[in-house]
Amino acid sequence: MTYLAKPRLHHPTLTKNKVGYTRRDYEGPVSTLCAGCGHDSISAAIIQACWEIDIEPHRVAKLSGIGCSSKAPTYFLGASHGFNTVHGRMPSVLTGANLANRELMYLGVSGDGDSASIGLGQFANAMRRGVNMAYIVMNNGVYGLTKGQFSATADRGSKSKKGAINTDSPVDLVGIALQLGATYVARSFSGDKAQLVPLIKGALAHGGAAFIDVISPCVTFNNHAGSTKSYEYVRQHDEAVSVIDFVAPGQEITTQYAPGELVEVEQHDGSVLRLRKLHTDYDPTDRYAAMSYMNSHAARGEVVTGLLYLDPLPTDLHTSLNTSAQPLNTLGVQQLCPGASVLDKINAALR
């Protein structure tokens, strides 16, 4: 329960990362989500990723909307900045915070109801504007807080717990992210920590609009036969395009060969994403080929996971708008209010 604080005492032998924190320092209160909820597995993956890449918790700003998924940030990075917005509005609030202070690392957490229904326009504009953020959607295909109605990402033909068949076409957030210009696009499964942790590491280090759609089965309302978001269905239909490793700047890059081609892609901060391809004909740097590959496998009922697309040289919103290199809260009065003469020049240039 969230009102039960975890013990502050840490055993002296707990391993610390390069910035002096143990893994426990990246945790939050005890989760109140249902036992076995995929969202808790995603929270654990975020904790592991942040600890392994030596992020200082207070340098992270985590934002969310409404829903089971948006409760999850309570349960990780308890020492970071946090803001729980209204339903569907996380991307715009995060955009404003990002423009005001570019020195923080931004993590947006949302759900399929929060991002694919009321927040679809917010999601789309965050992707096309290239907001520097890691945007994680915990996708279970239902509205868990309101007793399991189909969400906008539920597949046509899937069956609800009460036996109803979904007749609506699904909203594919990965396809939208690819089409609108996101520069890091991935899909994963909450039950595959080995794949999810390095994907989160890569997204946090990316430096542009990074989006990860994580299928996260709802054990209460959407984990039954006939659901395409259940643990059993995803495990049986998972089509991984690659095995991914994340190498932080300063680490030695070593190679372990596996079947298929090995591709190493350096990101803007010097980190390296090492992709061991399971399908040699798949090119993660070709946006349109990624869309075609994903659609063709979706038609077969397969869930394509892994790093689907990556632009190693992303352009973020700050670059597009030529904003101040300094956070707004560090600017002085003279810079923020330069006087009437400067305002007159700006107005004259707009006439």
Side-chain angles (χ1 to χ4, degrees), residues 9 11 23 40 83 127 129 169 171 183 194 196-197 214-215 253 268 284 304 319-320 343 345:
L9 296 177
H11 195 279
R23 189 184 182 282
D40 282 333
F83 194 89
M127 294 297 100
R129 288 172 178 152
S169 297
V171 172
T183 48
L196 182 56
V197 170
V214 187
I215 298 176
I253 299 175
H268 79 290
V304 178
T319 302
S320 301
L343 179 60
K345 291 180 180 179

Side-chain angles (χ1 to χ4, degrees), residues 156-177:
R156 184 194 292 271
S158 60
K159 183 186 295 186
S160 72
K161 188 175 182 179
K162 294 184 177 180
I165 302 297
N166 181 40
T167 59
D168 297 330
S169 297
V171 172
D172 184 359
L173 293 173
V174 166
I176 293 172

Side-chain angles (χ1 to χ4, degrees), residues 268-290:
H268 79 290
D269 66 344
S271 61
V272 175
L273 292 172
R274 185 169 53 207
L275 306 176
R276 294 196 297 276
K277 289 188 179 182
L278 301 182
H279 298 275
T280 56
D281 59 343
Y282 187 79
D283 182 2
T285 63
D286 187 330
R287 183 187 300 274
Y288 302 104

Side-chain angles (χ1 to χ4, degrees), residues 16-83:
K16 294 184 179 181
N17 60 12
K18 291 181 180 179
V19 290
Y21 292 94
T22 69
R23 189 184 182 282
R24 286 288 305 275
D25 294 318
Y26 294 84
E27 297 178 358
V30 178
S31 173
T32 61
L33 297 174
C34 303
C37 178
H39 295 3
D40 282 333
S41 297
I42 300 172
S43 295
I46 293 172
I47 290 168
Q48 188 70 25
C50 291
W51 179 64
E52 288 185 3
I53 59 176
D54 308 311
I55 295 174
E56 295 176 302
H58 62 277
R59 304 301 303 170
V60 178
K62 55 180 182 179
L63 293 90
S64 62
I66 297 294
C68 292
S69 60
S70 294
K71 292 175 60 180
T74 303
Y75 313 131
F76 61 81
L77 294 176
S80 69
H81 305 279
F83 194 89

Side-chain angles (χ1 to χ4, degrees), residues 201-224:
K201 290 181 183 179
L204 290 170
H206 179 58
F211 174 66
I212 307 176
D213 176 41
V214 187
I215 298 176
S216 178
C218 175
V219 293
T220 301
F221 296 111
N222 209 13
N223 194 37
H224 52 272

